[in-house]
Amino acid sequence: MSRARLTADREGAPSQVPGHGPRCRFCGQPLRVTFVDLGMSPLCETFLLPEELSRMEAFYPLRVFVCERCFLVQLEEFVDPDGIFAQDYRYFSSYSESWLRHAEAYATMIVDRLGLGRESLVVELGSNDGYLLQYVRALGVPVLGIEPARNIAAVANERGIPTRSVFFGADTARDLRAEGISADLIVGNNVLAQVPDLNGFVAGVKTLLRPGGMLTFEFPHLERLVAENQFDTIYHEHFSYFSFTTVREIFGAHGLDIVDVEELPTHGGSLRIFGRHAGERAPTETERCRRLAAHEVEVGMRSTAYYAAFAGHVESAKRALLRFLIDAKEQGKRVVGYGAPGKGNTLLNTCGIRSDLLEYTVDRNEHKHGRFTPGTHIPIHPPDRIFQTRPDYVLILPWNLKDEIVSQMEAIRDWGGRFVVPIPALEVLP
């Protein structure tokens, strides 16, 4: 890993944090530049039971830094990952129909592209409830899931997807290799952000990947977060936010070459990277890699000045949403939410929205029913609640699933109900 310091453009740069403070989890540089400060917030997946509402909740700083050396955007680690993921985690991937379609299409594509078969092994890191590996297995390819959340890993195993409930890192990879396990394909969808020990994690990928094997990782593209004001995707469970240039540097530091990249519409705009052991075959990278890396430099992502205006856009979005909710309340309109995702809880806590402005929210995930959102204590019901109460507006909190939700709930228009989307800018759908 190169330790040469990159020169940052200081003109118009974000505010400086006095003292040394935390260090970059990749390159070790002291973190002095604040990208955005969203105040204090609870863990976004700690949904409360009714009897827990009167108890003290833990809130942690939601301040995001950008590294002046490698430009990794990141949070400090305040809670041990075991406290976040390993106990009673309530995010299940299979509740999104569009995400299942995405997973099935990927499985078909990658099995064909790599010529995988019965002698191959596909390992998914952060495999959740087996949402993706079920499609790989259906194509006759052996699979293994790695999922730290024990309750979710149990669901995957019950569905016949072999899953180990452990945190993945260098030690886990060595243990698997000692058992004779290595992977022809390692998959990680929306898991990189949730890794506090990036170097140990990527080193583990290097260890577990067979010679000639391929890795693919998907993650939200930092450029889209900045360009579309996706501040609600920032929460404590996401430790890091990646540009293509930075993620390529991270994998390269551990002997893994990123050889191809795809830009995807998922999660508000994501990247899918393809990688392999350094030095295997040629060419080393596609034109898409070179073009995207050049684009990120061109738009300024290798300068701290690029990140300077983001906090102001967040404040504007916050005021617009509060203005809409207050006006609706004063006009006697009823506003409810759809969804209880992590991003929604960041939005609600950052804006200080409680049940006086958002009466309740609904979610298809039955594991959240009867609970309350962390910090803001908004009740969560099944989706049918909307048709029982006939509200005037439905605020879509998982805005990345807007089309899917509008299709499922289009009957609200029968009584004149309208959908509201808060990100990237407030929009009341016709």
Side-chain angles (χ1 to χ4, degrees), residues 389-409:
T389 61
R390 300 165 69 93
D392 299 285
Y393 297 103
V394 175
L395 178 67
I396 298 177
L397 295 173
W399 45 262
N400 55 302
L401 302 177
K402 175 185 69 175
D403 294 340
E404 176 182 336
I405 292 167
V406 168
S407 175
Q408 291 171 356
M409 306 295 291

PDB file of all heavy atoms in Angstrom, residues 389-409:
ATOM      1  N   THR A 389     -57.112   3.078   6.929  1.00  0.00           N
ATOM      2  CA  THR A 389     -57.168   4.456   7.439  1.00  0.00           C
ATOM      3  C   THR A 389     -57.255   5.507   6.336  1.00  0.00           C
ATOM      4  O   THR A 389     -57.562   6.664   6.627  1.00  0.00           O
ATOM      5  CB  THR A 389     -55.939   4.747   8.310  1.00  0.00           C
ATOM      6  OG1 THR A 389     -54.751   4.603   7.518  1.00  0.00           O
ATOM      7  CG2 THR A 389     -55.866   3.782   9.490  1.00  0.00           C
ATOM      8  N   ARG A 390     -56.945   5.151   5.091  1.00  0.00           N
ATOM      9  CA  ARG A 390     -57.106   6.025   3.921  1.00  0.00           C
ATOM     10  C   ARG A 390     -56.451   7.416   4.128  1.00  0.00           C
ATOM     11  O   ARG A 390     -57.141   8.436   4.112  1.00  0.00           O
ATOM     12  CB  ARG A 390     -58.576   6.160   3.562  1.00  0.00           C
ATOM     13  CG  ARG A 390     -59.221   4.834   3.231  1.00  0.00           C
ATOM     14  CD  ARG A 390     -60.743   4.932   3.225  1.00  0.00           C
ATOM     15  NE  ARG A 390     -61.242   5.724   2.120  1.00  0.00           N
ATOM     16  CZ  ARG A 390     -61.615   5.245   0.925  1.00  0.00           C
ATOM     17  NH1 ARG A 390     -61.510   3.948   0.696  1.00  0.00           N
ATOM     18  NH2 ARG A 390     -62.073   6.041  -0.008  1.00  0.00           N
ATOM     19  N   PRO A 391     -55.148   7.472   4.321  1.00  0.00           N
ATOM     20  CA  PRO A 391     -54.482   8.763   4.517  1.00  0.00           C
ATOM     21  C   PRO A 391     -54.425   9.578   3.234  1.00  0.00           C
ATOM     22  O   PRO A 391     -54.634   9.053   2.129  1.00  0.00           O
ATOM     23  CB  PRO A 391     -53.080   8.346   4.958  1.00  0.00           C
ATOM     24  CG  PRO A 391     -52.870   7.030   4.282  1.00  0.00           C
ATOM     25  CD  PRO A 391     -54.207   6.344   4.325  1.00  0.00           C
ATOM     26  N   ASP A 392     -54.119  10.861   3.393  1.00  0.00           N
ATOM     27  CA  ASP A 392     -54.008  11.750   2.229  1.00  0.00           C
ATOM     28  C   ASP A 392     -52.668  11.589   1.518  1.00  0.00           C
ATOM     29  O   ASP A 392     -52.596  11.714   0.290  1.00  0.00           O
ATOM     30  CB  ASP A 392     -54.174  13.212   2.675  1.00  0.00           C
ATOM     31  CG  ASP A 392     -55.531  13.461   3.309  1.00  0.00           C
ATOM     32  OD1 ASP A 392     -56.521  13.523   2.557  1.00  0.00           O
ATOM     33  OD2 ASP A 392     -55.599  13.574   4.548  1.00  0.00           O
ATOM     34  N   TYR A 393     -51.613  11.333   2.286  1.00  0.00           N
ATOM     35  CA  TYR A 393     -50.275  11.205   1.714  1.00  0.00           C
ATOM     36  C   TYR A 393     -49.574   9.992   2.297  1.00  0.00           C
ATOM     37  O   TYR A 393     -49.722   9.686   3.488  1.00  0.00           O
ATOM     38  CB  TYR A 393     -49.428  12.447   2.010  1.00  0.00           C
ATOM     39  CG  TYR A 393     -49.945  13.726   1.399  1.00  0.00           C
ATOM     40  CD1 TYR A 393     -50.623  14.665   2.174  1.00  0.00           C
ATOM     41  CD2 TYR A 393     -49.742  14.008   0.045  1.00  0.00           C
ATOM     42  CE1 TYR A 393     -51.089  15.845   1.622  1.00  0.00           C
ATOM     43  CE2 TYR A 393     -50.206  15.188  -0.517  1.00  0.00           C
ATOM     44  CZ  TYR A 393     -50.880  16.101   0.274  1.00  0.00           C
ATOM     45  OH  TYR A 393     -51.333  17.272  -0.278  1.00  0.00           O
ATOM     46  N   VAL A 394     -48.771   9.329   1.447  1.00  0.00           N
ATOM     47  CA  VAL A 394     -47.913   8.224   1.887  1.00  0.00           C
ATOM     48  C   VAL A 394     -46.471   8.604   1.556  1.00  0.00           C
ATOM     49  O   VAL A 394     -46.113   8.740   0.380  1.00  0.00           O
ATOM     50  CB  VAL A 394     -48.294   6.896   1.202  1.00  0.00           C
ATOM     51  CG1 VAL A 394     -47.305   5.798   1.591  1.00  0.00           C
ATOM     52  CG2 VAL A 394     -49.713   6.490   1.564  1.00  0.00           C
ATOM     53  N   LEU A 395     -45.664   8.799   2.587  1.00  0.00           N
ATOM     54  CA  LEU A 395     -44.257   9.158   2.422  1.00  0.00           C
ATOM     55  C   LEU A 395     -43.446   7.877   2.226  1.00  0.00           C
ATOM     56  O   LEU A 395     -43.370   7.036   3.115  1.00  0.00           O
ATOM     57  CB  LEU A 395     -43.768   9.919   3.659  1.00  0.00           C
ATOM     58  CG  LEU A 395     -42.292  10.324   3.680  1.00  0.00           C
ATOM     59  CD1 LEU A 395     -42.001  11.366   2.605  1.00  0.00           C
ATOM     60  CD2 LEU A 395     -41.912  10.859   5.063  1.00  0.00           C
ATOM     61  N   ILE A 396     -42.828   7.727   1.063  1.00  0.00           N
ATOM     62  CA  ILE A 396     -42.061   6.524   0.739  1.00  0.00           C
ATOM     63  C   ILE A 396     -40.661   6.672   1.309  1.00  0.00           C
ATOM     64  O   ILE A 396     -39.844   7.441   0.798  1.00  0.00           O
ATOM     65  CB  ILE A 396     -42.014   6.290  -0.781  1.00  0.00           C
ATOM     66  CG1 ILE A 396     -43.429   6.080  -1.331  1.00  0.00           C
ATOM     67  CG2 ILE A 396     -41.134   5.076  -1.099  1.00  0.00           C
ATOM     68  CD1 ILE A 396     -43.492   5.912  -2.845  1.00  0.00           C
ATOM     69  N   LEU A 397     -40.368   5.946   2.374  1.00  0.00           N
ATOM     70  CA  LEU A 397     -39.057   6.036   3.021  1.00  0.00           C
ATOM     71  C   LEU A 397     -37.975   5.264   2.264  1.00  0.00           C
ATOM     72  O   LEU A 397     -36.863   5.773   2.111  1.00  0.00           O
ATOM     73  CB  LEU A 397     -39.168   5.589   4.474  1.00  0.00           C
ATOM     74  CG  LEU A 397     -40.059   6.503   5.336  1.00  0.00           C
ATOM     75  CD1 LEU A 397     -40.263   5.910   6.723  1.00  0.00           C
ATOM     76  CD2 LEU A 397     -39.466   7.905   5.447  1.00  0.00           C
ATOM     77  N   PRO A 398     -38.243   4.033   1.770  1.00  0.00           N
ATOM     78  CA  PRO A 398     -37.249   3.377   0.905  1.00  0.00           C
ATOM     79  C   PRO A 398     -37.420   3.860  -0.540  1.00  0.00           C
ATOM     80  O   PRO A 398     -37.907   3.135  -1.422  1.00  0.00           O
ATOM     81  CB  PRO A 398     -37.567   1.892   1.060  1.00  0.00           C
ATOM     82  CG  PRO A 398     -39.019   1.855   1.364  1.00  0.00           C
ATOM     83  CD  PRO A 398     -39.343   3.125   2.106  1.00  0.00           C
ATOM     84  N   TRP A 399     -37.017   5.106  -0.810  1.00  0.00           N
ATOM     85  CA  TRP A 399     -37.267   5.742  -2.106  1.00  0.00           C
ATOM     86  C   TRP A 399     -36.620   4.985  -3.256  1.00  0.00           C
ATOM     87  O   TRP A 399     -37.049   5.109  -4.404  1.00  0.00           O
ATOM     88  CB  TRP A 399     -36.773   7.184  -2.086  1.00  0.00           C
ATOM     89  CG  TRP A 399     -35.404   7.338  -1.470  1.00  0.00           C
ATOM     90  CD1 TRP A 399     -35.124   7.719  -0.193  1.00  0.00           C
ATOM     91  CD2 TRP A 399     -34.146   7.056  -2.094  1.00  0.00           C
ATOM     92  NE1 TRP A 399     -33.763   7.702   0.024  1.00  0.00           N
ATOM     93  CE2 TRP A 399     -33.139   7.309  -1.116  1.00  0.00           C
ATOM     94  CE3 TRP A 399     -33.757   6.639  -3.365  1.00  0.00           C
ATOM     95  CZ2 TRP A 399     -31.784   7.140  -1.399  1.00  0.00           C
ATOM     96  CZ3 TRP A 399     -32.405   6.469  -3.637  1.00  0.00           C
ATOM     97  CH2 TRP A 399     -31.433   6.729  -2.657  1.00  0.00           C
ATOM     98  N   ASN A 400     -35.589   4.174  -2.974  1.00  0.00           N
ATOM     99  CA  ASN A 400     -34.969   3.380  -4.034  1.00  0.00           C
ATOM    100  C   ASN A 400     -35.904   2.299  -4.564  1.00  0.00           C
ATOM    101  O   ASN A 400     -35.687   1.764  -5.650  1.00  0.00           O
ATOM    102  CB  ASN A 400     -33.677   2.735  -3.521  1.00  0.00           C
ATOM    103  CG  ASN A 400     -33.889   1.905  -2.268  1.00  0.00           C
ATOM    104  OD1 ASN A 400     -34.361   2.425  -1.246  1.00  0.00           O
ATOM    105  ND2 ASN A 400     -33.550   0.629  -2.310  1.00  0.00           N
ATOM    106  N   LEU A 401     -36.976   1.986  -3.810  1.00  0.00           N
ATOM    107  CA  LEU A 401     -37.984   1.011  -4.241  1.00  0.00           C
ATOM    108  C   LEU A 401     -39.287   1.702  -4.630  1.00  0.00           C
ATOM    109  O   LEU A 401     -40.353   1.090  -4.601  1.00  0.00           O
ATOM    110  CB  LEU A 401     -38.241  -0.005  -3.116  1.00  0.00           C
ATOM    111  CG  LEU A 401     -37.021  -0.797  -2.624  1.00  0.00           C
ATOM    112  CD1 LEU A 401     -37.416  -1.704  -1.473  1.00  0.00           C
ATOM    113  CD2 LEU A 401     -36.400  -1.609  -3.757  1.00  0.00           C
ATOM    114  N   LYS A 402     -39.196   2.964  -5.015  1.00  0.00           N
ATOM    115  CA  LYS A 402     -40.380   3.778  -5.303  1.00  0.00           C
ATOM    116  C   LYS A 402     -41.306   3.095  -6.304  1.00  0.00           C
ATOM    117  O   LYS A 402     -42.530   2.987  -6.073  1.00  0.00           O
ATOM    118  CB  LYS A 402     -39.945   5.142  -5.835  1.00  0.00           C
ATOM    119  CG  LYS A 402     -41.084   6.040  -6.282  1.00  0.00           C
ATOM    120  CD  LYS A 402     -40.562   7.314  -6.915  1.00  0.00           C
ATOM    121  CE  LYS A 402     -39.888   7.031  -8.250  1.00  0.00           C
ATOM    122  NZ  LYS A 402     -39.468   8.275  -8.946  1.00  0.00           N
ATOM    123  N   ASP A 403     -40.780   2.637  -7.422  1.00  0.00           N
ATOM    124  CA  ASP A 403     -41.629   2.066  -8.466  1.00  0.00           C
ATOM    125  C   ASP A 403     -42.338   0.814  -7.972  1.00  0.00           C
ATOM    126  O   ASP A 403     -43.529   0.608  -8.254  1.00  0.00           O
ATOM    127  CB  ASP A 403     -40.795   1.754  -9.707  1.00  0.00           C
ATOM    128  CG  ASP A 403     -40.250   3.014 -10.377  1.00  0.00           C
ATOM    129  OD1 ASP A 403     -40.806   4.103 -10.119  1.00  0.00           O
ATOM    130  OD2 ASP A 403     -39.282   2.904 -11.146  1.00  0.00           O
ATOM    131  N   GLU A 404     -41.615  -0.035  -7.237  1.00  0.00           N
ATOM    132  CA  GLU A 404     -42.217  -1.252  -6.704  1.00  0.00           C
ATOM    133  C   GLU A 404     -43.340  -0.916  -5.735  1.00  0.00           C
ATOM    134  O   GLU A 404     -44.425  -1.519  -5.779  1.00  0.00           O
ATOM    135  CB  GLU A 404     -41.146  -2.081  -6.006  1.00  0.00           C
ATOM    136  CG  GLU A 404     -41.657  -3.333  -5.320  1.00  0.00           C
ATOM    137  CD  GLU A 404     -40.550  -4.111  -4.602  1.00  0.00           C
ATOM    138  OE1 GLU A 404     -39.374  -3.976  -4.976  1.00  0.00           O
ATOM    139  OE2 GLU A 404     -40.888  -4.864  -3.664  1.00  0.00           O
ATOM    140  N   ILE A 405     -43.119   0.057  -4.859  1.00  0.00           N
ATOM    141  CA  ILE A 405     -44.110   0.413  -3.841  1.00  0.00           C
ATOM    142  C   ILE A 405     -45.338   1.067  -4.473  1.00  0.00           C
ATOM    143  O   ILE A 405     -46.479   0.751  -4.121  1.00  0.00           O
ATOM    144  CB  ILE A 405     -43.472   1.337  -2.788  1.00  0.00           C
ATOM    145  CG1 ILE A 405     -42.432   0.532  -1.987  1.00  0.00           C
ATOM    146  CG2 ILE A 405     -44.520   1.941  -1.860  1.00  0.00           C
ATOM    147  CD1 ILE A 405     -41.518   1.390  -1.148  1.00  0.00           C
ATOM    148  N   VAL A 406     -45.124   1.973  -5.412  1.00  0.00           N
ATOM    149  CA  VAL A 406     -46.254   2.629  -6.085  1.00  0.00           C
ATOM    150  C   VAL A 406     -47.112   1.585  -6.793  1.00  0.00           C
ATOM    151  O   VAL A 406     -48.348   1.654  -6.762  1.00  0.00           O
ATOM    152  CB  VAL A 406     -45.745   3.703  -7.069  1.00  0.00           C
ATOM    153  CG1 VAL A 406     -46.876   4.185  -7.970  1.00  0.00           C
ATOM    154  CG2 VAL A 406     -45.144   4.875  -6.303  1.00  0.00           C
ATOM    155  N   SER A 407     -46.468   0.597  -7.418  1.00  0.00           N
ATOM    156  CA  SER A 407     -47.218  -0.453  -8.098  1.00  0.00           C
ATOM    157  C   SER A 407     -48.043  -1.274  -7.111  1.00  0.00           C
ATOM    158  O   SER A 407     -49.210  -1.594  -7.373  1.00  0.00           O
ATOM    159  CB  SER A 407     -46.250  -1.357  -8.866  1.00  0.00           C
ATOM    160  OG  SER A 407     -46.927  -2.448  -9.454  1.00  0.00           O
ATOM    161  N   GLN A 408     -47.453  -1.608  -5.964  1.00  0.00           N
ATOM    162  CA  GLN A 408     -48.149  -2.412  -4.968  1.00  0.00           C
ATOM    163  C   GLN A 408     -49.306  -1.653  -4.312  1.00  0.00           C
ATOM    164  O   GLN A 408     -50.319  -2.249  -3.953  1.00  0.00           O
ATOM    165  CB  GLN A 408     -47.166  -2.854  -3.881  1.00  0.00           C
ATOM    166  CG  GLN A 408     -46.125  -3.855  -4.337  1.00  0.00           C
ATOM    167  CD  GLN A 408     -45.056  -4.076  -3.279  1.00  0.00           C
ATOM    168  OE1 GLN A 408     -45.046  -3.430  -2.231  1.00  0.00           O
ATOM    169  NE2 GLN A 408     -44.135  -4.995  -3.549  1.00  0.00           N
ATOM    170  N   MET A 409     -49.136  -0.331  -4.163  1.00  0.00           N
ATOM    171  CA  MET A 409     -50.088   0.457  -3.374  1.00  0.00           C
ATOM    172  C   MET A 409     -50.882   1.452  -4.217  1.00  0.00           C
ATOM    173  O   MET A 409     -51.454   2.395  -3.682  1.00  0.00           O
ATOM    174  CB  MET A 409     -49.316   1.217  -2.292  1.00  0.00           C
ATOM    175  CG  MET A 409     -48.434   0.356  -1.396  1.00  0.00           C
ATOM    176  SD  MET A 409     -49.388  -0.792  -0.374  1.00  0.00           S
ATOM    177  CE  MET A 409     -50.199   0.350   0.744  1.00  0.00           C
TER     178      MET A 409
END
